[in-house]
């Protein structure tokens, strides 16, 4: 049976409503409607769609065939994989997905793909944090997220992803790209064959350059995404059938994609990287890798990896997904006292503002630069992710916890004209700092995501249908120019 990538459509085998006990560590949901007073320890009933998702996350999946299961779950060392002589990747017509075949035990240098090494690297990187207090705080910071352990329906799948990503990152570490970027860097596809599955790495050298430009060490990337600790799954309010995962430290975000979306991302990748080089503090999400996974003789499943906008997540109190419209832009908030982490939408944000102070002008300018770029790519339906975190007393005030990081963001010595175009700002001293802004009272996490929807014939027809279906109302499927303008207007109206 081919492995599914989505929890949607499954019916939980539970005759009674799923109830979650109230958590003393989680504040009430933002934007929740008025409810009656709740007594300590009393359970609240979740909305039906959350009941289904929670039940699916805990539902064991049928056992896979032995070969696939052993390849995913065993801790044995993987077989060596080596490239064919003189072959780094096979080229084809631009814009198409390409293949470069890696062969077992061919002549040349042997690459040993060892998940056990990934476990050791992960354990070494986190051993210093394994105190009792750290484990307690880590558990509380992940309330509402599900650990994909044994028995979870996606456990075998994520084990294969971890083993494949460990080996793919090892290739980038052993053969780092050198010299200026070339056309072949964006066309290369590396196929690694392991027992029971294959993993393709698309445009690997290009993404390796991008990770290096962000100051991301390949060892840290490999340890976070490789075997050792399970991925996390969270409740998504998205209407798509995509699956969403987080690395265990919540720094990296993984999302399944359709083939057409992957083709669009790869076609735009050279211009995307040029935009990030020109505007190093861009709000565009940092895409770190594109891969596909084929289990046995099943259909290929594509997924992307990017930096999580919501990192570090320990003190985040509210999360929003903003498109600047109203149709289908309301999410039923989690019950008061619930530990479920939800991403709310536009209508949930009514009556709220973002207090940025002097950084408001920077945000408005950067939104204009980024949305203009996406308009040039003919892209729409992207979202502005936002999260709020209250600042501690010692974090407030100018320069209290900020450093200026030009060396990290800009390579080489740019001209004065280029410096003016980069729209620079102060960055907090955190790993994913490009998407963080400090206001007077709160810290804001901001980023533009879902950059792969092109305004083609299908979307034009959808626009026509929604115009007839929702007269006088705003919806997401509009022309890229109108979409960009409307989202910028939303940000201007909700910031001060």
């Amino acid at each position: 049976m081919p492995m599914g990538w989505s929890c949607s459509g499954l019916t939980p085998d539970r005759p009674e409503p799923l109830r979650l006990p109230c958590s003393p560590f989680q504040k009430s949901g933002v934007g929740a409607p008025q409810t009656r007073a709740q007594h300590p320890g009393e359970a609240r009933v979740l909305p039906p769609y959350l009941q289904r998702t929670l039940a699916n996350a805990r539902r064991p999946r049928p056992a896979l065939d032995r070969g696939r299961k052993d390849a995913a779950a065993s801790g044995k060392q993987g077989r060596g994989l080596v490239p064919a002589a003189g072959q780094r990747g096979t080229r084809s017509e631009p814009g198409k997905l390409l293949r470069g075949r890696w062969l077992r035990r061919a002549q040349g240098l042997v690459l040993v793909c060892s998940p056990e090494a990934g476990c050791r690297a992960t354990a070494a990187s986190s051993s210093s944090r394994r105190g009792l207090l750290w484990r307690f705080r880590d558990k509380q910071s992940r309330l509402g997220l599900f650990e994909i352990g044994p028995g979870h329906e996606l456990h075998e799948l994520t084990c294969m992803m971890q083993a494949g990503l460990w080996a793919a990152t090892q290739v980038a570490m052993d053969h780092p790209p050198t010299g200026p970027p070339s056309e072949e860097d964006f066309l290369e596809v590396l196929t690694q064959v392991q027992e029971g599955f294959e993993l393709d790495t698309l445009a690997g050298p290009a993404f390796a350059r991008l990770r290096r430009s962000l100051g991301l060490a390949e060892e840290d990337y490999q340890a976070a995404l490789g075997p050792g600790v399970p991925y996390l799954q969270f409740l998504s309010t998205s209407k798509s059938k995509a699956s969403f995962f987080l690395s265990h430290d919540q720094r990296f975000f993984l999302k399944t994609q359709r083939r057409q979306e992957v083709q669009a991302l790869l076609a735009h990748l050279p211009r995307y990287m040029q935009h990030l080089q020109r505007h190093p503090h861009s709000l565009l999400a940092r895409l770190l890798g594109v891969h596909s996974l084929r289990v046995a003789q099943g259909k290929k499943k594509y997924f992307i990896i990017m930096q999580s906008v919501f990192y570090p997540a320990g003190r985040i109190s509210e999360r929003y997904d903003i498109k600047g419209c109203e149709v289908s832009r309301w999410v039923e908030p989690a019950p008061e006292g619930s530990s479920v982490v939800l991403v709310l939408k536009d209508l949930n944000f009514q009556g709220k503002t973002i207090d940025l102070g002097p950084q408001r002008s920077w945000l408005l300018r950067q939104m204009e630069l980024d949305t203009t770029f996406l308009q040039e790519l003919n892209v729409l339906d992207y979202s502005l992710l936002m999260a709020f975190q209250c600042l501690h007393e010692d974090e407030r005030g100018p320069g209290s916890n900020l450093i200026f990081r030009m060396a990290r963001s800009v390579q080489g010595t740019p001209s004065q004209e280029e410096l003016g175009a980069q729209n620079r700002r102060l960055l907090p001293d955190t790993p994913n700092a490009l998407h963080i802004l400090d206001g007077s009272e709160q810290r804001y996490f901001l980023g533009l995501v879902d950059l792969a929807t092109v305004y083609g014939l299908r979307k034009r027809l959808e626009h026509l249908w929604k115009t007839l279906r929702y007269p006088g109302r705003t919806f997401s499927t509009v022309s890229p120019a109108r979409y960009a303008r409307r989202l910028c207007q939303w940000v201007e109206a909700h910031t001060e």
Side-chain angles (χ1 to χ4, degrees):
M1 175 183 295
M3 187 176 303
W5 286 69
S6 174
C7 295
S8 61
L10 298 180
T11 303
D13 301 325
R14 304 179 67 93
E16 298 295 332
L18 182 64
R19 298 172 182 267
L20 289 181
C22 302
S23 169
F25 302 97
Q26 193 77 2
K27 296 183 179 180
S28 60
V30 177
Q34 295 295 325
T35 58
R36 63 179 177 81
Q38 181 176 343
H39 300 289
E42 181 184 359
R44 298 293 304 277
V45 179
L46 291 174
Y49 74 97
L50 289 183
Q51 295 180 25
R52 291 193 297 270
T53 309
L54 286 165
N56 292 337
R58 297 168 180 172
R59 181 179 181 181
R61 67 173 280 107
L64 301 176
D65 61 82
R66 175 59 56 186
R68 286 157 54 186
K69 186 173 182 180
D70 290 346
S74 69
K76 297 180 181 180
Q77 179 173 336
R79 297 183 182 179
L81 304 178
V82 298
Q87 183 173 357
R88 189 178 181 186
T90 304
R91 291 184 56 185
S92 181
E93 298 178 18
K96 292 187 177 181
L97 299 182
L98 314 172
R99 276 180 85 81
R101 174 62 62 180
W102 278 59
L103 308 176
R104 295 181 182 274
R105 300 296 179 186
Q107 293 181 353
L109 178 65
V110 175
L111 169 65
V112 178
C113 303
S114 172
E116 288 184 348
C119 297
R120 291 194 297 269
T122 304
S125 66
S126 60
S127 60
S128 61
R129 303 181 298 171
R130 293 298 180 185
L132 178 62
L133 177 61
W134 181 86
R135 289 198 299 269
F136 174 78
R137 294 181 62 183
D138 177 63
K139 181 178 180 181
Q140 299 311 316
S141 69
R142 292 189 285 105
L143 288 171
L145 298 175
F146 295 96
E147 195 171 84
I148 306 178
H152 193 288
E153 64 171 354
L154 298 175
H155 177 63
E156 283 89 353
L157 172 66
T158 55
C159 284
M160 294 179 190
M161 293 170 66
Q162 288 180 317
L165 290 175
W166 189 95
T169 310
Q170 190 65 43
V171 173
M173 295 167 61
D174 294 341
H175 307 282
T178 58
S182 63
E183 182 181 0
E184 287 76 10
D185 292 343
F186 297 95
L187 299 178
E188 179 181 296
V189 171
L190 173 68
T191 297
Q192 293 171 297
V193 182
Q194 300 202 31
E195 188 174 353
F197 71 96
E198 298 178 0
L199 185 125
D200 288 349
T201 300
L202 312 179
F207 284 112
R209 295 178 189 275
L210 179 56
R211 294 194 295 268
R212 185 170 59 191
S213 70
L214 297 174
L216 176 58
E218 295 288 358
E219 293 80 3
D220 294 340
Y221 185 70
Q222 184 185 58
L225 295 173
V229 288
Y231 288 161
L232 304 175
Q233 182 188 27
F234 67 94
L235 300 178
S236 171
T237 56
S238 171
K239 294 191 299 181
S240 70
K241 295 183 179 180
S243 295
F244 302 87
F245 309 105
L246 284 168
S247 61
H248 201 270
D249 60 4
Q250 302 186 53
R251 186 177 177 186
F252 302 113
F253 179 88
L254 300 91
K255 178 186 177 183
T256 61
Q257 300 263 216
R258 295 183 295 112
R259 178 186 174 92
Q260 294 84 351
E261 294 172 331
V262 169
Q263 289 177 320
L265 284 175
L266 295 178
H268 297 155
L269 184 58
R271 296 183 63 183
Y272 168 82
M273 293 181 63
Q274 291 173 1
H275 180 79
L276 294 185
Q277 186 174 15
R278 181 169 178 78
H279 305 287
H281 297 170
S282 168
L283 293 168
L284 300 183
R286 297 312 191 264
L287 192 62
L288 304 177
V290 176
H291 303 270
S292 69
L293 181 73
R294 185 201 300 270
V295 179
Q297 299 301 317
K299 186 178 179 181
K300 276 188 178 183
K301 304 295 183 181
Y302 295 90
F303 65 96
I304 64 171
I305 306 171
M306 64 182 185
Q307 280 187 339
S308 174
V309 176
F310 301 149
Y311 181 86
R315 291 160 46 198
I316 290 179
S317 58
E318 309 172 37
R319 297 168 173 84
Y320 293 91
D321 178 313
I322 301 298
K323 291 182 181 290
C325 58
E326 57 180 325
V327 173
S328 300
R329 301 305 297 167
W330 165 264
V331 172
E332 189 67 30
E336 185 178 355
S338 171
S339 61
V340 175
V341 175
L342 287 180
V343 179
L344 305 178
K345 298 186 178 180
D346 300 63
L347 296 181
N348 299 95
F349 198 80
Q350 287 183 345
K352 302 178 184 294
T353 57
I354 305 172
D355 182 12
L356 291 174
Q359 297 207 65
R360 179 176 182 268
S361 60
W362 178 90
L363 176 62
L364 297 180
R365 173 59 178 160
Q366 194 61 54
M367 280 292 300
E368 180 184 356
L369 291 169
D370 290 334
T371 56
T372 299
F373 169 71
L374 295 176
Q375 177 184 339
E376 293 172 355
L377 297 182
N378 202 32
V379 167
L380 75 159
D381 215 18
Y382 44 91
S383 297
L384 174 65
L385 291 186
M386 302 190 308
F388 298 170
Q389 171 188 306
C390 289
L391 292 175
H392 290 159
E393 199 64 39
D394 60 349
E395 296 174 330
R396 300 176 183 177
S400 58
N401 195 33
L402 301 175
I403 61 172
F404 199 60
R405 285 194 168 184
M406 281 300 297
R408 172 183 171 182
S409 302
V410 180
Q411 296 181 350
T413 306
S415 65
Q416 290 299 319
E417 180 181 355
E418 290 173 333
L419 284 172
Q422 284 167 355
N423 199 32
R424 298 168 298 166
R425 66 179 180 89
L426 295 174
L427 299 181
D429 188 12
T430 57
N432 292 8
L434 291 173
H435 295 141
I436 297 176
L437 288 172
D438 279 0
S440 58
E441 299 291 332
Q442 297 199 75
R443 173 167 290 173
Y444 301 98
F445 298 74
L446 302 166
L448 292 167
V449 299
D450 298 337
L451 313 177
T453 303
V454 176
Y455 193 55
L457 177 61
R458 178 174 172 270
K459 285 297 177 180
R460 293 174 187 272
L461 294 176
E462 184 179 336
H463 168 72
L464 178 60
W465 179 82
K466 287 186 176 181
T467 301
L468 301 175
R469 177 69 176 81
Y470 304 108
R473 302 181 65 189
T474 57
F475 46 85
S476 62
T477 311
V478 294
S479 69
R482 184 178 176 186
Y483 194 96
R485 181 172 62 254
R486 188 176 64 188
L487 187 56
C488 287
Q489 290 172 347
W490 188 98
V491 173
E492 185 173 5
H494 290 82
T495 54
E496 56 185 22

